[in-house]
């Protein structure tokens, strides 16, 4: 089997499998088809033929390893810049480096260099073997770093050989500590190498270059991971090693260790994983300068593609523009005769991904243009290797999904249909991602109202490419649609998924996220029985989990969604049922299930449920306030997550106001004002807060309601963050107009004049309703001057309408 490459190898890419050293193959046929079937990932430094020798059995020899009946000679692969590892087959063994060999885990095979007979291979447990190896190489490391025992310039070839083995051992541990140990050894060897008394020879120099790359690669692997603390430390360590070699060997010298193109490419990739495009470009500039004295360091396609990957991961606003400039530079270099640099499929994919991630206006449009450029080059330009794959189509579809543009859903649908036409209907993970992205686009950017139906039609047309994520995206599309039957449709789709799973289709087994999406759809539908439906789904999840080994188990988000469904149902028992669910979570947490610890959202949703309780339940406000006190007590005891926010306070106030308890609502408003005065920013009363209490007094029909509303209006104007809205002014006017007071008409018009003086924006200017309320107050007053006052207001309305008032 042969691989065809552009330059030396292709760059790392999020959608492309990698080997341990960070290289990936560009030969699409080998990578995508043959290698994937065998569980292998190959990368060739130069276009060469790699012999794969059929073997009747699967022994591990000193020359290589056997994977599913094929043996790859690792010594040949190393000379060609190739690495091999098991990538896709679940039935294949997994491998890691130990010394110069690739050894299967969980067993390490101890073999003799003089025999490859499988019967002579002894097997030890990994734990025992690892402990012996750790002690051995820890002792070697300590000895090498002890400058008193081995002063600078006194290391002999035996010690150097042991040092190189130690470096290789530490770099295979896949740990930050191992990389640091290897780095310390290398710095010690470089010190010895640069000494005039050193015994380094050409053979040792070549070995050290390999050890250098092993160590750089260890740092590269951990760059950007959770172990990279402080963030960027791994990339800087790798760069420091490279800079050390550069400074000790400013020009090509046979007796000194030199970096090669892999050294630079791996450091660039370490920065690329962080999205640090500026540092990555600086390393590329050093690489270009180095190539003038050492042609083995010439930048290649991998180098530039890593820069593109860095820009793709970057949050810089000019990343898309810079990415296109790099792509054009690659093309210019290739046109000028540099065959090691040529834009490939990954190059274009990275630029498209950069545009997609930028979220800029027109980003999806530009990503689509680059896609069509690839299609044109692959057909008319003779570049078959540039034919877009499903991942690239998915990226463009996702760009339209996130664009927020009116025709985003339609454009995503067109791209998906184009993918089916260009690539054909074939099952595969990449096609599943594209289908899911298209459905997501229809759910986010649909303006026609039939997005969910179109998404479902798309799924059923390519059912074999749909997995649980795809079905969940469809359920979410119905949830976003705002349709009254979205809850029923979501439950129906869940039932269909369960039937397919029970029939043997493991790909569509519903996950916790699927069940949560169904509950969310039920909640958003807002049906009167939404709470009961959501709780039924919760009980079904519990039953599935307890009756089998099914990993489907309710999580905190599930419980929070059920509470939210009750809060939006309008059921008279919503508050009680929501708090029952909350107490169940608390009980699970107290019994030892740490994952079930209720968060602020759960308590907030329960408070909202009490606020939505029927007006016949006079206990709603008191129960909501009691729940709020529990939150405040938990916060006072040190649980910072339980600090009530403005939503919590607003829900309690709404609970009092909805049951018509205006006195309690105003008392709670006063409490919020006191908390705000004490420094609690979350308790700051806003316009909505004051308006809610004013509405509560207006509905109370108490004789003192007009005075209480007006007093609240005065407090609102002096403390709230913005001016009262026209709706609030109209409420106060209306309560005076209908009060039956003898001075109702005068007081109503007086408030109107204050409103006109203070209205600075459209939201607070008088409207037709405002004037009609005053005119009606005069008409009901029975006063002799009422007709003239009413007619004066009418003429004033006509004048203001001419000035643009509504």
């Amino acid at each position: 089997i042969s691989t065809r490459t552009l330059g030396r190898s292709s760059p790392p890419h999020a959608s492309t499998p990698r080997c341990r050293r960070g290289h990936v193959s560009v030969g699409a046929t080998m990578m995508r088809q043959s290698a994937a079937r065998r569980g292998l990932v190959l990368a060739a430094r130069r276009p060469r033929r790699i012999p794969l020798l059929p073997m009747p059995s699967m022994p591990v020899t000193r020359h290589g390893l056997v994977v599913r009946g094929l043996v790859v000679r690792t010594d040949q692969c190393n000379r060609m810049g190739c690495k091999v590892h098991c990538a896709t087959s679940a039935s294949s063994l997994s491998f890691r480096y130990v010394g110069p060999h690739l050894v299967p885990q969980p067993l390490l095979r101890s073999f003799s260099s003089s025999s490859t007979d499988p019967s002579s291979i002894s097997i030890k447990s990994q734990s025992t073997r690892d402990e012996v190896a750790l002690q051995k190489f820890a002792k070697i490391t300590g000895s090498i770093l002890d400058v008193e025992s081995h002063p600078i310039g006194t290391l002999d070839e035996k010690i150097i050989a042991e040092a190189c083995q130690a470096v290789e051992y530490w770099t295979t541990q896949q740990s930050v500590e191992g990389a640091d140990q290897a780095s310390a050894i290398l710095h010690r060897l470089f010190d010895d190498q640069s000494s005039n008394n050193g015994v380094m020879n050409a053979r040792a120099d070549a070995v050290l270059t390999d050890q250098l790359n092993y160590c750089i690669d260890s740092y590269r692997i951990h760059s950007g991971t959770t172990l990279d603390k402080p963030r960027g430390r791994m990339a800087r360590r790798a760069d420091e090693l490279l800079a050390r070699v550069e400074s000790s060997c400013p020009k090509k010298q046979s007796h000194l260790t030199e970096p090669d193109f892999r050294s630079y490419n791996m450091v660039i990739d370490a920065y690329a994983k962080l999205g640090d495009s500026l540092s990555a470009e600086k390393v590329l500039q050093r690489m270009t300068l180095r190539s003038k004295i050492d042609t083995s360091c010439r930048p290649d396609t991998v180098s530039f593609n890593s820069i593109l990957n860095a820009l793709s991961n970057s949050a810089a606003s000019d990343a898309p523009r810079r990415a296109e400039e790099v792509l054009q530079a690659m093309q210019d270099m290739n046109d000028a005769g540099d065959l090691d640099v040529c834009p490939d499929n990954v190059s274009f994919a990275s630029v498209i991904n950069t545009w997609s991630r930028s979220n800029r206006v027109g980003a999806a449009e530009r990503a689509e243009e680059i896609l069509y450029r690839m299609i044109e080059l692959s057909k008319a330009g003779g570049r078959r290797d540039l034919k877009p794959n499903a991942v690239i189509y998915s990226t463009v579809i996702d760009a339209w999904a996130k664009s927020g543009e009116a025709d985003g859903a339609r454009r995503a649908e067109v791209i998906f249909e184009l993918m089916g036409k260009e690539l054909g209907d074939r099952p595969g993970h990449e096609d599943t991602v594209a289908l899911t992205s298209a459905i997501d686009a229809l759910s986010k950017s649909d303006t026609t109202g039939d997005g969910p139906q179109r998404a479902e039609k798309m799924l059923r047309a390519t059912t074999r490419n749909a997995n649980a994520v795809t079905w969940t995206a469809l359920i979410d599309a119905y949830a976003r649609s705002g349709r009254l039957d979205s809850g029923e449709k979501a439950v129906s789709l869940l039932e269909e998924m369960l039937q397919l799973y029970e029939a043997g289709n493991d790909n569509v087994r519903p996950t916790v996220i699927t069940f949560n999406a169904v509950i969310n759809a039920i909640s958003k539908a807002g049906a009167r029985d939404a709470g009961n439906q959501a709780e039924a789904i919760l009980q079904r999840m519990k039953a599935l989990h307890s009756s089998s080994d099914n990993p489907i188990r309710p999580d905190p988000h599930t419980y929070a969604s059920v509470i939210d469904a009750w809060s939006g149902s309008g059921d008279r028992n919503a508050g009680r049922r929501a708090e029952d669910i909350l107490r169940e979570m608390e009980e699970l947490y107290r019994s030892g299930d740490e994952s079930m610890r209720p968060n602020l959202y759960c308590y907030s949703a329960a408070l909202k449920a009490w606020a939505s309780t029927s007006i016949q339940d006079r206990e709603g406000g008191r129960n909501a306030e009691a729940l709020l006190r529990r939150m405040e007590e938990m916060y006072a005891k040190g649980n910072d997550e339980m600090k009530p926010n403005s939503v919590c306070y607003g829900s309690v106030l709404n609970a009092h106001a909805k049951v018509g308890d205006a006195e309690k609502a105003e008392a709670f408003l006063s409490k919020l004002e006191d908390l705000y005065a004490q420094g609690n920013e979350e308790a700051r009363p806003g316009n909505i807060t004051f308006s809610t209490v004013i509405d509560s007094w207006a509905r109370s029909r108490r004789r003192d309601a007009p005075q209480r509303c007006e007093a609240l209006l005065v407090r609102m104007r002096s403390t709230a963050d913005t001016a009262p809205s026209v709706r609030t002014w109209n409420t106060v006017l209306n309560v005076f107009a209908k009060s039956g007071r003898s001075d109702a008409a005068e007081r109503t018009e007086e408030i109107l004049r204050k409103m006109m003086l203070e209205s600075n924006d459209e939201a607070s200017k008088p409207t037709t309703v405002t004037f009609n309320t005053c005119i009606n107050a005069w008409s009901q007053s029975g006063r002799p001057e009422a007709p003239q006052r009413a007619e004066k207001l009418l003429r004033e309305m006509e004048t203001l309408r001419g000035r643009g008032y509504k």
Side-chain angles (χ1 to χ4, degrees):
I1 301 173
S2 64
T3 62
R4 181 168 60 85
T5 64
L6 296 172
R8 298 171 196 170
S9 57
S10 77
H13 189 263
S15 61
T16 309
R18 305 184 191 182
C19 72
R20 183 178 180 279
R21 297 302 171 193
H23 302 297
V24 290
S25 73
V26 182
T29 303
M30 180 62 189
M31 169 64 78
R32 300 290 184 188
Q33 301 174 9
S34 183
R37 288 196 297 270
R38 290 173 172 80
L40 298 175
V41 176
L42 303 179
R45 177 181 173 184
R46 293 292 187 188
R48 292 285 297 275
R49 186 173 296 276
I50 302 176
L52 298 180
L53 311 178
M55 297 288 287
S57 60
M58 296 182 65
V60 176
T61 74
R62 66 186 297 268
H63 299 294
L65 61 96
V66 177
V67 181
R68 301 184 70 178
L70 299 175
V71 62
V72 181
R73 295 177 63 88
T74 56
D75 53 348
Q76 292 178 343
C77 292
N78 287 336
R79 288 198 299 270
M80 297 166 61
C82 299
K83 301 295 176 189
V84 186
H85 80 155
C86 180
T88 58
S89 175
S91 62
S92 300
L93 297 172
S94 61
F95 298 87
R96 70 182 177 90
Y97 270 99
V98 174
H101 307 287
L102 283 161
V103 181
Q105 295 183 11
L107 298 180
L108 296 179
R109 299 175 183 263
S110 173
F111 43 86
S112 168
S113 60
S114 60
S115 172
T116 59
D117 182 4
S119 63
S120 68
I121 298 176
S122 61
I123 302 178
K124 296 182 179 181
S125 70
Q126 180 173 338
S127 59
T128 303
R129 180 65 179 273
D130 281 354
E131 183 178 353
V132 172
L134 177 62
Q135 294 175 356
K136 171 186 174 182
F137 289 110
K139 182 178 179 181
I140 291 174
T141 303
S143 175
I144 294 169
L145 298 181
D146 186 358
V147 293
E148 293 183 1
S149 301
H150 300 289
I152 300 298
T154 63
L155 298 183
D156 57 28
E157 290 189 16
K158 179 182 177 182
I159 297 176
I160 293 171
E162 290 179 345
C164 291
Q165 291 178 8
V167 170
E168 198 160 354
Y169 168 79
W170 290 120
T171 56
T172 59
Q173 299 310 298
Q174 300 294 310
S175 68
V176 175
E177 293 78 9
D180 288 339
Q181 292 280 13
S183 177
I185 296 173
L186 284 177
H187 280 292
R188 171 67 174 88
L189 292 177
F190 293 150
D191 288 339
D192 212 77
Q193 186 183 60
S194 59
S195 171
N196 293 329
N197 298 325
V199 296
M200 294 291 180
N201 53 39
R203 175 184 169 279
D205 296 336
V207 172
L208 279 182
T209 298
D210 284 341
Q211 314 315 311
L212 169 69
N213 287 340
Y214 291 162
C215 191
I216 290 176
D217 186 50
S218 291
Y219 284 126
R220 182 196 66 81
I221 290 172
H222 293 100
S223 179
T225 66
T226 56
L227 299 176
D228 190 9
K229 295 179 180 179
R231 184 173 172 81
R233 172 177 172 265
M234 299 294 101
R236 289 192 294 272
R237 287 289 181 90
D239 201 357
E240 288 169 4
L241 266 179
L242 179 61
R244 171 68 191 273
V245 179
E246 288 177 323
S247 62
S248 63
C249 185
K251 59 181 180 179
K252 187 171 179 61
Q253 303 178 52
S254 60
H255 67 286
L256 293 177
T257 300
E258 300 173 348
D260 60 13
F261 74 95
R262 286 167 294 191
S263 310
Y264 286 95
N265 284 347
M266 286 189 288
V267 174
I268 293 173
D269 187 51
Y271 281 120
K273 292 169 73 175
L274 299 169
D276 189 350
S277 57
L278 294 178
S279 297
E281 288 179 21
K282 288 179 181 178
V283 177
L284 179 63
Q285 291 171 4
R286 285 158 46 194
M287 184 180 187
T288 303
L289 291 174
R290 183 80 185 183
S291 67
K292 295 180 181 178
I293 60 172
D294 184 356
T295 56
S296 67
C297 292
R298 289 199 316 271
D300 57 7
T301 302
V302 174
S303 312
F304 285 94
N305 281 354
S306 294
I307 298 295
L308 290 173
N309 189 35
L311 290 166
S312 177
N313 294 329
S314 170
S317 59
D318 61 341
R321 176 186 58 79
R322 289 164 59 196
E324 291 212 43
E325 290 175 354
V326 172
L327 183 66
Q328 187 59 50
M330 292 176 70
Q331 187 60 57
D332 293 342
M333 292 174 69
N334 185 260
D335 293 342
D338 189 344
L339 300 181
D340 282 338
V341 179
C342 181
D344 59 13
N345 193 290
V346 178
S347 310
F348 282 90
S350 295
V351 177
I352 289 174
N353 197 39
T354 305
W355 275 109
S356 177
R357 290 185 175 185
S358 69
N359 294 324
R360 293 173 54 179
V361 176
E365 183 78 38
R366 185 56 186 151
E368 184 177 328
E369 290 174 1
I370 298 172
L371 170 67
Y372 281 114
R373 179 182 168 192
M374 290 184 70
I375 295 174
E376 182 181 355
L377 288 172
S378 66
K379 291 181 177 180
R383 293 288 306 277
R384 290 181 176 272
D385 57 294
L386 290 183
K387 183 177 181 179
N389 56 29
V391 173
I392 296 175
Y393 282 102
S394 299
T395 305
V396 178
I397 292 171
D398 187 58
W400 280 117
K402 297 184 300 184
S403 67
E405 297 187 23
D407 62 341
R410 183 187 62 81
R411 300 289 286 272
E413 202 171 358
V414 169
I415 298 298
F416 183 77
E417 292 173 356
L418 176 65
M419 185 190 81
K421 178 181 177 182
E422 293 291 330
L423 301 182
D425 182 19
R426 53 195 179 85
H429 171 72
E430 295 173 346
D431 303 88
T432 301
V433 172
L435 174 61
T436 305
S437 297
I439 291 175
D440 191 46
L442 284 168
S443 70
K444 291 180 179 178
S445 304
D446 176 49
T447 56
T448 61
D450 62 346
Q453 296 94 312
R454 288 154 60 196
E456 185 173 355
K457 181 180 179 181
M458 189 183 298
L459 181 145
R460 297 193 183 284
T462 55
T463 305
R464 61 178 179 172
N465 285 332
N467 59 14
V469 178
T470 313
W471 283 84
T472 303
L474 178 59
I475 291 171
D476 193 51
Y478 275 103
R480 291 171 182 266
S481 67
R483 291 171 37 146
L484 296 178
D485 64 340
S486 60
E488 296 177 5
K489 190 63 181 179
V491 173
S492 174
L493 290 170
L494 175 63
E495 294 291 346
E496 189 173 351
M497 288 179 70
L498 289 169
Q499 291 174 8
L500 290 171
Y501 171 59
E502 292 169 0
N505 189 347
D506 290 340
N507 290 331
V508 297
R509 182 179 68 185
T511 64
V512 175
I513 297 175
T514 308
F515 280 91
N516 290 348
V518 174
I519 295 173
N520 182 48
I522 292 171
S523 176
K524 288 188 174 181
R528 293 288 297 180
D529 62 341
N532 288 316
Q533 289 185 48
E535 199 165 340
I537 298 295
L538 173 63
Q539 298 303 328
R540 185 166 188 180
M541 291 178 72
K542 293 179 185 177
L544 284 171
H545 180 68
S546 61
S547 64
S548 65
D549 295 330
N550 199 314
I552 297 174
R553 178 175 179 268
D555 62 8
H557 185 71
T558 311
Y559 282 90
S561 297
V562 175
I563 294 172
D564 197 49
W566 275 113
S567 70
S569 66
D571 191 287
R572 63 179 301 171
N573 296 313
R576 290 186 176 83
R577 293 300 304 128
E579 190 158 350
D580 287 344
I581 298 295
L582 180 62
R583 291 187 183 278
E584 182 180 339
M585 288 187 72
E586 292 176 329
E587 184 61 32
L588 288 170
Y589 174 65
R590 283 194 293 268
S591 65
D593 191 345
E594 293 286 339
S595 67
M596 282 299 167
R597 182 178 185 177
N599 55 25
L600 181 64
Y601 180 81
C602 298
Y603 284 91
S604 178
L607 288 172
K608 183 182 175 184
W610 278 118
S612 65
T613 300
S614 171
I615 60 174
Q616 299 174 0
D617 189 351
R618 306 289 297 183
E619 299 295 319
R622 285 191 285 272
N623 289 329
E625 197 161 352
L627 182 57
L628 179 66
R629 282 197 296 270
R630 283 169 53 195
M631 296 176 65
E632 291 173 334
E633 290 171 2
M634 287 187 283
Y635 175 66
K637 291 179 180 178
N639 188 349
D640 292 339
E641 294 181 0
M642 283 297 108
K643 182 180 180 180
N645 57 22
S646 58
V647 176
C648 299
Y649 290 120
S651 295
V652 175
L653 190 141
N654 285 337
H656 285 304
K658 185 168 183 179
V659 297
D661 199 339
E663 289 276 7
K664 288 282 183 64
E666 187 170 350
F668 192 76
L669 172 62
S670 298
K671 177 183 176 180
L672 294 185
E673 290 178 314
D674 292 340
L675 288 172
Y676 177 63
Q678 296 168 14
N680 187 345
E681 290 289 335
E682 292 291 344
R684 180 177 185 177
N687 281 352
I688 296 177
T689 310
F690 278 99
S691 297
T692 301
V693 180
I694 290 173
D695 285 343
S696 181
W697 276 112
R699 293 195 304 269
S700 69
R701 297 183 180 180
R702 283 178 42 167
R703 292 184 61 83
D704 61 343
Q707 296 93 312
R708 304 296 287 265
C709 287
E710 186 177 14
L712 284 167
L713 183 64
V714 172
R715 286 164 63 184
M716 181 180 183
R717 287 154 57 197
S718 62
T719 61
D721 48 358
T722 58
S725 67
V726 64
R727 181 182 178 280
T728 305
W729 283 102
N730 287 347
T731 301
V732 177
L733 287 169
N734 192 54
V735 75
F736 268 103
K738 294 181 178 181
S739 65
R741 294 171 37 151
S742 59
D743 63 342
E746 287 93 341
R747 296 289 292 118
T748 303
E749 188 171 345
E750 181 182 334
I751 295 172
L752 170 63
R753 300 305 172 193
K754 290 180 181 179
M755 180 181 181
M756 295 179 66
L757 287 173
E758 297 181 13
S759 58
N760 298 319
D761 52 36
E762 289 294 329
S764 59
K765 286 182 178 180
T767 62
T768 301
V769 174
T770 310
F771 278 89
N772 284 348
T773 301
C774 288
I775 292 172
N776 184 59
W778 279 112
S779 69
Q780 299 295 325
S781 68
R783 302 273 294 274
E785 71 273 23
Q788 292 84 1
R789 300 290 290 269
E791 188 175 356
K792 180 181 177 182
L793 287 170
L794 182 62
R795 289 196 298 270
E796 192 173 348
M797 283 181 65
E798 294 172 347
T799 303
L800 290 175
R801 181 179 293 276
R803 297 178 185 175
Y805 279 66
K806 296 180 180 179

